[in-house]
Amino acid sequence: MTKKPILILVGTTEGRHLAYQASRRPDVEAIASLAGRTRQPDPPIANTRFGGFGGVSGLRDYLQAQRIEAVIDATHPFAAQISNHAVLAAREAGVPHLRLSRPPWQSQPGDCWLEVSSNAEAAERLPEVAQRVFLTIGRQELATFASLQQLWFLMRMIDPPHEGTSIPPGKILLARGPFSLEDERSLLQTYQIGAIVSKNSGGEATYAKLVAARELRIPVVMVQRPRMPEMETVDDIHQALDWLDGL
Ligand code: NAP
């Protein structure tokens, strides 16, 4: 059987699992593409390429050169640039395109969320919310909070910040989810956290901090997702595999 080459843009746990599941199918040759920012993708995936394509035209050329028959964008909900590039490049190359994106978290009774549109707005609002902050936005935008010298931050991320990055005062915690409710509760209490800053990433792995915040009545400054263009989107791996079947 001739295998259809498909490109999966990976940047989330679901993306890695989708790439793994697709690679086991007899009709598909799945190529997983990673930006290459995280040092060690976990779990490791076979048939992987790393690094950018060189914008929309670079990705379009890649799709044509590799005779890719479908693109699934399974990058993070906050990775707006690659998602925009993917939908445009697929359109230009005439290749079917699907986005796999987990649903955003919704606030529940008892939550105290302050919804903001960006990390910059989160930084602007923080001084009126708390003095000691649990910052869970990853390492890429730490500098946005660096001017808040009067606050103290517990900053959690998978890999350490790049050398020379300006960071706010506080402590760096290197850890990869999933995180348990018990551990999140204990972290918030040990560090006497007065507010959490989180992106609305959705998913189970990092949800426990929001439950702990609800229990302890700690406010959450929740950064909303960036706007994306209209595109066919599914929210779980099974639907993405069904879409592949329908090609
Ligand atoms: P971004 O701003 O949307 O993308 C920046 C550039 O990185 C893209 O234009 C593209 O370069 C390259 N790129 C991104 N994802 C790629 C992929 N899967 N394969 C090949 N090239 C890719 O993305 P970002 O926010 O910097 O995030 C980088 C990666 O980390 C993404 O894959 C994302 O899923 C993952 N991630 C992001 C976040 C977040 O909060 N932003 C959180 C967790 C994981 P070219 O233009 O040269 O093609």
Side-chain angles (χ1 to χ4, degrees), residues 85-164:
H85 289 182
V87 73
L88 292 173
R91 199 175 295 154
E92 286 182 19
V95 171
H97 168 280
L98 180 76
R99 178 157 168 71
L100 166 62
S101 182
R102 55 199 180 206
W105 295 311
Q106 305 291 339
S107 66
Q108 306 292 319
D111 281 335
C112 173
W113 287 11
L114 174 63
E115 300 196 318
V116 295
S117 61
S118 63
N119 282 311
E121 193 188 340
E124 217 177 282
R125 304 288 302 273
L126 262 184
E128 72 196 56
V129 182
Q131 291 296 307
R132 294 177 67 81
V133 179
F134 185 25
L135 192 58
T136 63
I137 55 145
R139 62 175 174 165
Q140 287 195 67
E141 287 195 61
L142 287 176
T144 309
F145 297 85
S147 64
L148 297 172
Q149 290 294 314
Q150 72 280 30
L151 306 187
W152 186 91
F153 290 85
L154 179 64
M155 297 164 264
R156 183 165 70 192
M157 62 206 77
I158 296 173
D159 292 314
H162 293 293
E163 222 170 284

Side-chain angles (χ1 to χ4, degrees), residues 10-11 33-35 37 51-55 75-76 79 81-82 85 140 199:
V10 173
S33 174
L34 286 110
R37 309 264 161 82
F53 296 92
T75 58
H76 192 270
Q81 187 165 303
I82 186 68
H85 289 182
Q140 287 195 67
K199 296 179 190 173

Side-chain angles (χ1 to χ4, degrees), residues 141-215:
E141 287 195 61
L142 287 176
T144 309
F145 297 85
S147 64
L148 297 172
Q149 290 294 314
Q150 72 280 30
L151 306 187
W152 186 91
F153 290 85
L154 179 64
M155 297 164 264
R156 183 165 70 192
M157 62 206 77
I158 296 173
D159 292 314
H162 293 293
E163 222 170 284
T165 306
S166 307
I167 59 168
K171 177 175 171 159
I172 289 179
L173 200 59
L174 298 181
R176 185 195 286 273
F179 303 106
S180 73
L181 176 57
E182 203 183 356
D183 288 350
E184 297 294 60
R185 197 189 289 125
S186 146
L187 208 61
L188 295 176
Q189 288 173 322
T190 305
Y191 289 97
Q192 299 176 308
I193 295 298
I196 299 177
V197 181
S198 172
K199 296 179 190 173
N200 195 337
S201 301
E204 290 296 314
T206 57
Y207 185 65
K209 67 185 172 200
L210 302 178
V211 180
R214 187 182 306 143
E215 282 181 11

